[in-house]
Amino acid sequence: MTVDPATAAPLESPADVRPRRGLVALLVLDGALCALLSVFYLGLYIAGVPFPITILLAGLANLLLVVAVRAETGSLRTATLPLVAWAVVFLVCLVGGPGGDQLAIGDWRTLLLPVAALAPAGGYLFSARIKEITRAVEATQAVGATQPGPRP
């Protein structure tokens, strides 16, 4: 017996689907890996000219990771986890190792990397939070407008 997909009842509503914790953990790990690779390839030169393409790639990767975590969980707080992992790994890369070796180079590129890598995702999270606040205020105003006020 075949069931028509148009008339079949949906198995689960999107609100009932729980986020996959393994996927979220993998995306957070990707944020940490992005920071490590960004620092490793920050000193890239092409034909004797500094070519810090990892600065742009880190910003794009962090933005995509944040959007993916928010789409999976629906939470802005959880969506910040890839950025936190990125920042922690970047700060660890700034610290010298046991022999005095340091992964991050002392250059303008090192100063630009955290700003350019975190700003796009931070802007996305900021605008999403502002939209949530605006919707909540509009909803409370709509509820207040439908309720009758005190009568004189």
Side-chain angles (χ1 to χ4, degrees):
M1 181 169 150
T2 306
V3 177
D4 183 17
T7 59
L11 296 176
E12 294 179 339
S13 70
D16 294 336
V17 177
R18 296 182 51 155
R20 297 170 286 197
R21 292 182 184 175
L23 179 62
V24 173
L26 183 64
L27 292 171
V28 171
L29 182 66
D30 286 342
L33 184 62
C34 175
L36 195 60
L37 291 174
S38 299
V39 171
F40 280 169
Y41 289 104
L42 189 60
L44 185 65
Y45 278 83
I46 293 181
V49 178
F51 192 71
I53 189 67
T54 58
I55 293 174
L56 297 174
L57 293 177
L60 179 65
N62 282 338
L63 178 62
L64 292 175
L65 289 171
V66 166
V67 169
V69 171
R70 182 167 184 233
E72 180 64 28
T73 63
S75 168
L76 286 175
R77 182 176 293 160
T78 308
T80 61
L81 290 177
L83 296 182
V84 171
W86 192 96
V88 167
V89 170
F90 179 75
L91 291 175
V92 168
C93 289
L94 290 178
V95 176
D101 295 335
Q102 192 173 7
L103 290 175
I105 54 176
D107 197 358
W108 60 271
R109 295 170 283 185
T110 305
L111 294 174
L112 187 60
L113 179 61
V115 173
L118 299 176
Y124 169 76
L125 289 172
F126 179 75
S127 67
R129 181 64 180 148
I130 293 297
K131 287 178 185 176
E132 282 185 356
I133 291 171
T134 305
R135 278 191 217 118
V137 167
E138 289 173 353
T140 55
Q141 288 176 351
V143 168
T146 59
Q147 294 178 349
R151 294 185 183 170

